[in-house]
Amino acid sequence: MFSLKNSFKGGLKINAAKELTENIPIQKITPPEVVVLPLAMHIGAPAKALVQKGERVVRGQKIAAAQGTVSANIHASVSGTVAGIEKRWLPGGKMSECIIIKNDFADETVPAVPRSPESLTAEAIRTLLLEHGITGMGGASFPTHVKYLPPKQVSIDTVILNGIECEPYITADYRILLEQPQLVIRGLQYFLKAAGAQRGIIAIEDNKPQAIALFKQLVQGSGNISVTACPEKYPQGGEKQLIKAVTGRSVPVGGLPADVGVIVDNVSTAMQAARSIESGLPFTERVITVSGSAVNSPGNFLVPLGTLYSHVVTEAAHGFKTPPAVIICGGPMMGFALQTLDYPVTKGANALLCFDESSSAAAVHAESTCVRCGRCVDHCPMFLEPTEITRFVKQQNLEAITNLHAQSCIECGCCSYVCPAHIPLVQYIRLGKQLLAQKK
């Protein structure tokens, strides 16, 4: 049985498999000849292009503007010429218009506008988060400034920095914790000021003792910032699971963290927020993990946004040592399988995993009949009944899907992982959500 101290009910213990990259410092890669910047690389409305084909841009220039409250600005990640604006597929089956920039390798950058942290008001911080295009870097890519605009009737008292990184193989956040700890802490301080919150918590999974020790030392005496070590369990990094683990509060069904007085942000998001606020340079690059049995040189790499994964594998990981049988954007539990490397690195992309045929990640199992064992129910961190939801998805019974709260599923993949019948339960539930969205 799992201890529930600083943890949650449900979930499972899986092999973290982080040894390939956890001790490799972040390396900056050679910029590509072309970047492809989607206008919809965040949750919410796509940004609106501000440039045209043939126009020259510089790194950090705003090339697309946020549309509506839930949206994010996009900035050029290299200097060069706009080669075109065209629709392209993104991981997960989404299509987006993309601004394509041909790199001139001049690396001309917008003038930096450093700011004094002491002079910034809460409103000024929220404005800078919007202007610099800061979004969640843990995968969801929710525009960060929106989190700090809760309804007036809601009072935020706690901001949690998510340093769990519970998906196997991924170590990008871990390297940020070790290499940029002061920026992470300053980012949290900006978030606290923007939210008007009194308490900051940095949550780190207990399989990262070096990071835990470092941050406990750095926040000692800070008064309102603490470090919580959470037991290694998947999906400990889920927003609702993390809030329950470190505060004891339960986010209501259909509710948001703000409903219980909490905002959760990723540690890499905090780092990028502090860097952008203090330097005046927007969000144009990020750290991603490249790992798996098929690549020559696994590691963590600082990559310009819009870089194609084909360039990342060639320039950073030195190509494939064996032909990949499976390529995944993101983690093996919640990521998306790719059929090609011609996809761009986006703001929420934290990993590229490539496995050869010998890896268990490449194994393909035929779906068989549910044996009613109940394992999916036992391990579901959202207390759902995945096998029942799946049964009604196959029948396209939308009323039953709704009544079983399919929309509360966080798509963590625990149910599929433990299913002895190899039923792709999370994929069926995802389909059910799509059916409900179509009806709505």
Side-chain angles (χ1 to χ4, degrees), residues 42-88:
H42 52 263
I43 286 178
K48 181 179 179 180
L50 300 175
V51 295
Q52 297 178 345
K53 182 177 180 179
E55 187 174 339
R56 187 174 186 276
V57 297
V58 298
R59 184 165 68 92
Q61 177 180 332
K62 184 162 72 173
I63 58 174
Q67 298 297 294
T69 302
V70 184
S71 188
N73 293 332
I74 309 293
H75 301 80
S77 56
V78 298
S79 63
T81 304
V82 176
I85 302 176
E86 60 185 53
K87 288 188 174 182
R88 293 205 180 184

Side-chain angles (χ1 to χ4, degrees), residues 249-428:
R249 304 174 191 177
S250 297
V251 179
V253 174
L256 297 171
D259 295 330
V260 293
V262 177
I263 293 174
V264 180
D265 260 309
N266 179 265
V267 292
S268 291
T269 309
M271 180 278 297
Q272 183 60 55
R275 173 175 285 169
S276 290
I277 288 170
E278 294 172 5
S279 71
L281 298 176
F283 183 9
T284 62
E285 58 187 7
R286 69 154 298 145
V287 177
I288 69 168
T289 298
V290 180
S291 190
S293 57
V295 296
N296 277 312
S297 302
N300 296 286
F301 305 100
L302 183 62
V303 179
L305 296 178
T307 301
L308 297 182
Y309 285 117
S310 53
H311 180 82
V312 176
V313 169
T314 301
E315 293 296 320
H318 303 129
F320 294 120
K321 62 181 178 182
T322 55
V326 174
I327 301 173
I328 301 171
C329 172
M333 298 296 288
M334 296 184 71
F336 297 98
L338 304 181
Q339 293 180 318
T340 172
L341 291 173
D342 292 330
Y343 289 101
V345 173
T346 59
K347 292 183 178 184
N350 57 0
L352 180 74
L353 307 180
C354 307
F355 301 101
D356 60 25
E357 289 184 350
S358 66
S359 171
S360 59
V364 177
H365 302 282
E367 175 183 341
S368 57
T369 303
C370 173
V371 296
R372 312 295 292 174
C373 65
R375 292 182 189 177
C376 60
V377 178
D378 292 340
H379 290 280
C380 177
M382 296 302 296
F383 315 116
L384 303 178
E385 298 179 75
T387 185
E388 284 297 285
I389 297 173
T390 294
R391 180 164 70 91
F392 288 116
V393 169
K394 290 179 178 180
Q395 297 173 9
Q396 297 194 19
N397 186 332
L398 302 189
E399 182 180 358
I401 297 170
T402 301
N403 292 338
L404 288 166
H405 304 289
Q407 290 175 308
S408 293
C409 172
I410 62 173
E411 301 179 18
C412 65
C414 286
C415 54
S416 299
Y417 186 88
V418 299
C419 179
H422 305 295
I423 301 170
L425 295 162
V426 72
Q427 282 78 11
Y428 279 118

Side-chain angles (χ1 to χ4, degrees), residues 1-12 206 228-236 240-250 378-381 383:
M1 295 292 291
F2 291 116
S3 168
L4 290 181
K5 182 180 179 182
N6 298 332
S7 192
F8 62 97
K9 290 184 179 179
L12 47 86
D206 63 7
T228 297
C230 297
E232 181 185 351
K233 184 168 67 166
Y234 180 83
Q236 183 73 75
K240 293 181 179 180
Q241 288 69 40
L242 188 58
I243 291 171
K244 180 66 175 178
V246 302
T247 69
R249 304 174 191 177
S250 297
D378 292 340
H379 290 280
C380 177
F383 315 116

Side-chain angles (χ1 to χ4, degrees), residues 147-220:
K147 290 188 176 185
Y148 295 90
L149 291 169
K152 290 184 179 180
Q153 69 271 20
V154 171
S155 178
I156 303 297
D157 59 58
T158 303
V159 176
I160 301 173
L161 282 196
N162 185 347
I164 299 296
E165 201 168 43
C166 57
E167 276 263 27
Y169 293 94
I170 306 176
T171 57
D173 285 347
Y174 177 63
R175 293 311 310 180
I176 291 289
L177 287 171
L178 294 184
E179 299 181 41
Q180 300 288 350
Q182 297 288 4
L183 275 177
V184 171
I185 292 170
R186 293 206 297 276
L188 175 55
Q189 290 168 337
Y190 290 125
F191 290 160
L192 289 170
K193 192 171 187 178
Q198 296 76 46
R199 177 174 64 156
I201 302 173
I202 303 172
I204 306 174
E205 211 165 23
D206 63 7
N207 62 355
K208 305 173 180 65
Q210 188 178 350
I212 292 170
L214 174 61
F215 274 82
K216 283 187 173 180
Q217 178 185 353
L218 291 175
V219 304
Q220 194 170 20

